[in-house]
């Protein structure tokens, strides 16, 4: 018996030594050091980004496939089949599809895979209405307060939408279109607003079932993209009346703007 045990009165419960800062309850004080020494070659913190990078790449590829119509509304896709298509394991595909399920783009089907959500023109109209309620007043407020040179900085983003539209690249247009709108709203300095508007914008770009108002030909995409350049001209000039007319028409006339 050690001196500490001998000095403790009979019946006194045993008190474990105090935990060191950062020690998890129930672990040995040196457990962290033992775990760290178990893998000298590839620490866990160096492995994680690689795994998440693969998932993010798959997520971006799946989003592009959704926008382009490659993944059809109502169709069911299994993680192994998609993994084979993209040349990856099934795990990052499942993780990416689960993220899309949280966003409402797909629905998990037990023992089958994921079904692409089916949406109607009514769904698109409702999204456009909500986006207009958020973006129109914000852009009008910015038109009255933002200096012309800050609007000028957005010209390359508007040009990117035109270039993607001219190629007829629907997925690239969807990405550049969303970047342009997000850049405009970021001038407000309201990060929560930007996040909400960007999510609504992404949802508005998902495919619909049956006839769709979304432009499919390069000329239709180009018409939508040109609205960005015209809107920027009005913003640089401080023409609030024209800005209001353009931004309201942009939401009412296009499911992609």
């Amino acid at each position: 018996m050690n001196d500490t045990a001998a000095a403790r009165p009979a019946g006194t419960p045993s008190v474990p030594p105090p935990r060191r800062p950062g020690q998890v309850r129930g672990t040995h004080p040196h457990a962290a050091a033992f775990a760290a020494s178990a893998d000298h070659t590839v620490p866990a913190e160096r492995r994680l980004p690689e795994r998440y990078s693969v998932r993010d790449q798959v997520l971006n590829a799946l989003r592009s496939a959704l926008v382009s119509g490659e993944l059809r509304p109502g169709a069911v896709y299994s993680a192994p089949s998609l993994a084979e298509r993209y040349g990856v394991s099934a795990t990052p595909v499942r993780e990416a599809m689960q993220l899309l399920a949280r966003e409402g783009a797909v629905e998990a089907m037990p023992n089958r895979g994921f079904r692409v959500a089916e949406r109607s023109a009514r769904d698109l109209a409702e999204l456009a209405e909500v986006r207009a309620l958020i973006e129109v007043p914000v852009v009008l407020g910015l038109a009255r307060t933002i200096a012309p040179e800050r609007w000028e900085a957005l010209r390359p983003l508007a040009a990117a939408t035109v270039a993607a539209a001219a190629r007829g690249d629907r997925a690239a247009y969807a990405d550049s279109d969303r970047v342009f709108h997000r850049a405009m709203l970021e001038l407000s300095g309201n990060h929560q607003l930007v996040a909400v508007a960007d999510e609504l914008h992404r949802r508005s770009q998902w495919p619909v079932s049956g006839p769709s108002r979304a432009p499919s030909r390069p000329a239709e995409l180009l018409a939508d993209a040109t609205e960005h350049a015209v809107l920027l001209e009005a913003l640089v000039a401080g023409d609030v009346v024209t800005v209001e007319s353009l931004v309201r028409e942009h939401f009412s006339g296009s499911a992609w703007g």
Side-chain angles (χ1 to χ4, degrees), residues 14-91:
S14 174
V15 179
R19 284 180 291 148
R20 297 181 179 179
Q23 181 186 342
V24 180
R25 182 183 299 276
T27 62
H28 189 280
H30 301 297
F34 296 156
S37 64
D39 185 354
H40 298 285
T41 56
V42 187
E45 61 270 23
R46 295 182 184 176
R47 289 197 299 266
L48 289 177
E50 180 181 351
R51 176 190 177 193
Y52 291 143
S53 176
V54 173
R55 183 201 66 184
D56 291 343
Q57 290 178 41
V58 172
L59 180 60
N60 290 334
L62 290 172
R63 282 175 170 159
S64 294
L66 282 169
V67 170
S68 67
E70 183 182 347
L71 297 182
R72 303 185 311 277
V76 178
Y77 299 90
S78 69
S81 66
L82 290 173
E84 184 177 357
R85 176 184 302 189
Y86 296 118
V88 298
S89 68
T91 297

Side-chain angles (χ1 to χ4, degrees), residues 120-155:
S120 65
R122 172 59 182 252
D123 295 324
L124 286 182
E126 291 178 353
L127 283 167
E129 181 180 0
V130 176
R131 287 185 60 210
L133 290 172
I134 295 174
E135 294 194 37
V136 171
V138 172
V139 173
L140 289 177
L142 293 172
R144 298 183 178 94
T145 58
I146 297 299
E149 57 269 20
R150 298 188 68 185
W151 293 117
E152 290 279 4
L154 271 59
R155 287 193 186 276

Side-chain angles (χ1 to χ4, degrees), residues 63-199:
R63 282 175 170 159
S64 294
L66 282 169
V67 170
S68 67
E70 183 182 347
L71 297 182
R72 303 185 311 277
V76 178
Y77 299 90
S78 69
S81 66
L82 290 173
E84 184 177 357
R85 176 184 302 189
Y86 296 118
V88 298
S89 68
T91 297
V93 173
R94 288 193 184 93
E95 292 175 347
M97 293 298 273
Q98 286 165 0
L99 290 174
L100 290 174
R102 293 176 192 172
E103 296 175 2
V106 301
E107 177 187 359
M109 307 289 290
N111 302 319
R112 294 184 60 193
F114 297 86
R115 184 175 66 86
V116 178
E118 297 182 89
R119 300 181 313 129
S120 65
R122 172 59 182 252
D123 295 324
L124 286 182
E126 291 178 353
L127 283 167
E129 181 180 0
V130 176
R131 287 185 60 210
L133 290 172
I134 295 174
E135 294 194 37
V136 171
V138 172
V139 173
L140 289 177
L142 293 172
R144 298 183 178 94
T145 58
I146 297 299
E149 57 269 20
R150 298 188 68 185
W151 293 117
E152 290 279 4
L154 271 59
R155 287 193 186 276
L157 303 182
T161 67
V162 174
R167 297 193 306 271
D169 189 336
R170 296 179 61 172
Y173 177 79
D175 288 340
S176 59
D177 179 44
R178 201 171 62 254
V179 168
F180 175 80
H181 278 260
R182 186 168 61 240
M184 282 201 304
L185 298 179
E186 283 174 346
L187 294 174
S188 70
N190 188 327
H191 302 297
Q192 300 302 319
L193 180 147
V194 172
V196 171
D198 190 57
E199 176 61 22

Side-chain angles (χ1 to χ4, degrees), residues 190-245:
N190 188 327
H191 302 297
Q192 300 302 319
L193 180 147
V194 172
V196 171
D198 190 57
E199 176 61 22
L200 289 171
H201 197 162
R202 187 187 298 280
R203 288 172 180 264
S204 73
Q205 295 173 334
W206 294 338
V208 297
S209 303
S212 168
R213 292 191 300 116
S216 58
R217 294 182 303 216
E220 294 174 306
L221 289 178
L222 194 56
D224 273 5
T226 302
E227 292 180 8
H228 295 151
V230 177
L231 176 59
L232 267 185
E233 292 293 344
L235 289 166
V236 170
D239 186 348
V240 179
V241 174
T242 300
V243 168
E244 181 172 9
S245 175

